[in-house]
C-alpha cells in the first residue's frame, strides 16, 4: 500500500484511484507516509453537470417568465398623449398600470408630473414623433384642438399610425382629423364619458363611446385598434360603439344639460346644511363634479355641438313654463284672498219672495182683476 501525503484530503473509500499520476509515485527509496501525494482524479473525463429540476426553484431565465415577458411585450403599445393636463394624466396612469409605454407632449411643462407617473415627457412635438409611437391621442381642449392638429409634424410619424381623439364632442374632431391627417393614418374617435372625479375610484360600468372612423383593413391595424380599445375594456368600462353624429345628439341632451345645471347651481351658491336630503346631496355632488372642469370645456360643448343650442332653448322654455304655472296658481290664491270678500259684498241682494195667498171658496180673490160695482172705466160712480 502506497503512503499518502498529509497535505491531500483523503478521498472517499467508494472512489477508486483509477488514474494515478506517473510523477506522483516515488521511484526512490520508500519515503515516509507523509511525503507521497494522492493522485488527482481527472474530472474532465467524466463531467457531472448541475441541473435544477425543482419546479419552484428560482431560475433567472426560466421558461415561464420568458413566455409572460414576451406576451406582455406583444400586447403593449407605445402611446403618445398630446395635451398632458388633468385628463391626460388621468388616462396615462391607467395606461402605465397596464404595462404600456406612454409618451407625452404639451405646451406647458409637465416633466415632474410625467416622471411621477412613469411617462416620458417631451416639450417639442418633433422629438415625440421621432419615438415612433403606435398610437397618438389628441387630449387637448376642444378650443385648441384645430391649432394643435394643423401644426403637428405628421410626416415624422409612421405612415399607418393610429390617431385617437378623446374630446367631449365627436363630429367636430372627426371632421378635423379627416381634413388634416394623411390618408394612410387610422382614425378612431372616442369619448370616455367620465373624468378624474367620476372615475377616481374605478372605471367599472362607466360608458366609453367609440367610432371606428377609418381603420386599415389588415390584421396588424385591426389588432392594434382592438388592443387600444381593450385598455378600457380591461378597466371595466361599458363599451358603446356609436356614430359621431348619434353621440352628439345624445350628449347634448345629457352631458351639456348636466354641465349647464351644475354651473347654474354653482352660481346659485348651494351650501350644505345639517338636514341635507339625498336629493340635495345629489345636487351638491353635481356642482362638485362640474365645477372641477374648466369653462373652456363647457363653452366647447356649447360651441362645437350643433344640438346644444336647441337644448339650451328647451331649458329656457321649460323654466319659463314652470314660472308661469307657479305664478298662475299664486294669482288665483291671492285673488280669492284679496277680492273674495269685496265681490261678495258688492253682489246685488235678492228680495225675499212674497207668500202666495190661496183662493177661499165663497170669497173673492184679492188678486181678482174684475172691477167692483160703481167703477166703470176706472172712474168711481157718483151717487
Amino acid at each position: 500500500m502506497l503512503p499518502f501525503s498529509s497535505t491531500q484530503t483523503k478521498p472517499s473509500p467508494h472512489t477508486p484511484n483509477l488514474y494515478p499520476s506517473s510523477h506522483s509515485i516515488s521511484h526512490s527509496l520508500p519515503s515516509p507516509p507523509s511525503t507521497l501525494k494522492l493522485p488527482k482524479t481527472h474530472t474532465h473525463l467524466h463531467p457531472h453537470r448541475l441541473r435544477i429540476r425543482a419546479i419552484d426553484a428560482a431560475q433567472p431565465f426560466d421558461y415561464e417568465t420568458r413566455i409572460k415577458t414576451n406576451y406582455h411585450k406583444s400586447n403593449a403599445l407605445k402611446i403618445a398623449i398630446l395635451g398632458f393636463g388633468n385628463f391626460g394624466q388621468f388616462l396615462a396612469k391607467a395606461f402605465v398600470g397596464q404595462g404600456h409605454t406612454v409618451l407625452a407632449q404639451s405646451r406647458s411643462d409637465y416633466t415632474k408630473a410625467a416622471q411621477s407617473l412613469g411617462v416620458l415627457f417631451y416639450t417639442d412635438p418633433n422629438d415625440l414623433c421621432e419615438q415612433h409611437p403606435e398610437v397618438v391621442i389628441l387630449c387637448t381642449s376642444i378650443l385648441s384642438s384645430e391649432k394643435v392638429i394643423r401644426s403637428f409634424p405628421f410626416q415624422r410619424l409612421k405612415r399607418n399610425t393610429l390617431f385617437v381623439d378623446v374630446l367631449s364632442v365627436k363630429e367636430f374632431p372627426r371632421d378635423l382629423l379627416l381634413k388634416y391627417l394623411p390618408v394612410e393614418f387610422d382614425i378612431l374617435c372616442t369619448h370616455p364619458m367620465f373624468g378624474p372625479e367620476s372615475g377616481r375610484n374605478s372605471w367599472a360600468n362607466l360608458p366609453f363611446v367609440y367610432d371606428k372612423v377609418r381603420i386599415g383593413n389588415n390584421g396588424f391595424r385591426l389588432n392594434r385598434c382592438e388592443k387600444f380599445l381593450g385598455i378600457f375594456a380591461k378597466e371595466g368600462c361599458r363599451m358603446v360603439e356609436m356614430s359621431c353624429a348619434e353621440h352628439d345628439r345624445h350628449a347634448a341632451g345629457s352631458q351639456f344639460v348636466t354641465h349647464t345645471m351644475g354651473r347654474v347651481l354653482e352660481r346659485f351658491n348651494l351650501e350644505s346644511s345639517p338636514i341635507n336630503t339625498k336629493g340635495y346631496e345629489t345636487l351638491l355632488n353635481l356642482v362638485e363634479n362640474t365645477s372641477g372642469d374648466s369653462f373652456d370645456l363647457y363653452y366647447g360643448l356649447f360651441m362645437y355641438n350643433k344640438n346644444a343650442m336647441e337644448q339650451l332653448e328647451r331649458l329656457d322654455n321649460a323654466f319659463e313654463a314652470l314660472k308661469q304655472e307657479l305664478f298662475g296658481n299664486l294669482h288665483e290664491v291671492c285673488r280669492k284672498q284679496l277680492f273674495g270678500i269685496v265681490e261678495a259684498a258688492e253682489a246685488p241682494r235678492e228680495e225675499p219672495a212674497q207668500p202666495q195667498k190661496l183662493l177661499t171658496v165663497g170669497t173673492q180673490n184679492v188678486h181678482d182683476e174684475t172691477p167692483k160695482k160703481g167703477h166703470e172705466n176706472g172712474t168711481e160712480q157718483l151717487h
Side-chain angles (χ1 to χ4, degrees), residues 4-278:
F4 297 99
S5 172
S6 61
T7 58
Q8 183 69 32
T9 305
K10 185 176 181 181
S12 172
H14 302 288
T15 305
N17 185 11
L18 300 178
Y19 304 97
S21 177
S22 60
H23 57 270
S24 64
I25 302 176
S26 174
H27 297 284
S28 59
L29 293 174
S31 303
S34 61
T35 61
L36 186 61
K37 297 182 179 179
L38 178 68
K40 296 182 179 179
T41 302
H42 294 183
T43 56
H44 64 280
L45 297 179
H46 298 280
H48 298 281
R49 296 178 182 176
L50 180 64
R51 295 181 182 179
I52 300 176
R53 298 182 181 275
I55 296 178
D56 295 332
Q59 305 179 41
F61 301 103
D62 65 281
Y63 180 75
E64 184 179 356
T65 301
R66 282 181 291 176
I67 290 296
K68 288 183 178 180
T69 302
N70 293 335
Y71 174 78
H72 288 306
K73 286 183 178 179
S74 64
N75 286 275
L77 293 170
K78 183 182 286 188
I79 304 173
I81 300 177
L82 304 182
F84 204 57
N86 291 334
F87 194 70
Q89 297 174 32
F90 172 66
L91 294 178
K93 184 178 180 181
F95 296 165
V96 173
Q98 292 194 20
H100 300 284
T101 301
V102 182
L103 320 172
Q105 188 272 328
S106 189
R107 61 185 178 184
S108 301
D109 189 1
Y110 290 104
T111 303
K112 292 183 179 180
Q115 289 177 349
S116 65
L117 295 172
V119 176
L120 300 175
F121 184 79
Y122 299 87
T123 56
D124 191 334
N126 292 280
D127 297 335
L128 177 75
C129 292
E130 289 179 357
Q131 302 302 316
H132 299 297
E134 301 171 79
V135 181
V136 178
I137 301 179
L138 181 65
C139 196
T140 62
S141 68
I142 301 174
L143 302 181
S144 62
S145 57
E146 183 171 8
K147 181 180 178 181
V148 171
I149 292 176
R150 291 178 61 181
S151 61
F152 193 77
F154 299 106
Q155 70 278 4
R156 292 182 175 271
L157 295 172
K158 293 181 179 180
R159 294 178 56 138
N160 62 356
T161 302
L162 172 61
F163 224 91
V164 182
D165 92 277
V166 291
L167 304 186
S168 299
V169 293
K170 292 274 70 70
E171 288 187 285
F172 173 67
R174 178 202 62 189
D175 296 341
L176 282 180
L177 296 177
L178 289 173
K179 179 179 178 180
Y180 291 107
L181 261 63
V183 293
E184 298 84 5
F185 278 42
D186 290 344
I187 299 175
L188 178 66
C189 289
T190 72
H191 183 195
M193 301 197 69
F194 50 89
E197 290 296 327
S198 55
R200 176 172 45 194
N201 299 322
S202 172
W203 296 4
N205 297 322
L206 298 177
F208 180 86
V209 182
Y210 64 94
D211 185 10
K212 300 176 182 178
V213 177
R214 186 174 69 198
I215 305 297
N217 191 21
N218 65 60
F220 168 74
R221 297 166 80 169
L222 292 172
N223 186 43
R224 180 180 57 189
C225 180
E226 293 303 323
K227 283 182 183 179
F228 180 78
L229 293 174
I231 296 174
F232 297 89
K234 288 179 182 177
E235 295 291 334
C237 292
R238 180 163 53 88
M239 308 299 287
V240 182
E241 187 170 7
M242 181 182 295
S243 69
C244 293
E246 188 178 2
H247 166 275
D248 283 0
R249 285 197 303 272
H250 290 300
S254 60
Q255 188 182 30
F256 177 72
V257 172
T258 300
H259 277 262
T260 299
M261 298 308 300
R263 291 190 175 273
V264 169
L265 294 174
E266 180 185 9
R267 300 194 177 190
F268 189 68
N269 293 326
L270 287 185
E271 294 181 355
S272 181
S273 70
I275 55 173
N276 289 350
T277 62
K278 291 294 185 181

Side-chain angles (χ1 to χ4, degrees), residues 364 368-372:
Q364 185 179 4
D368 190 2
E369 298 297 331
T370 304
K372 297 179 182 181

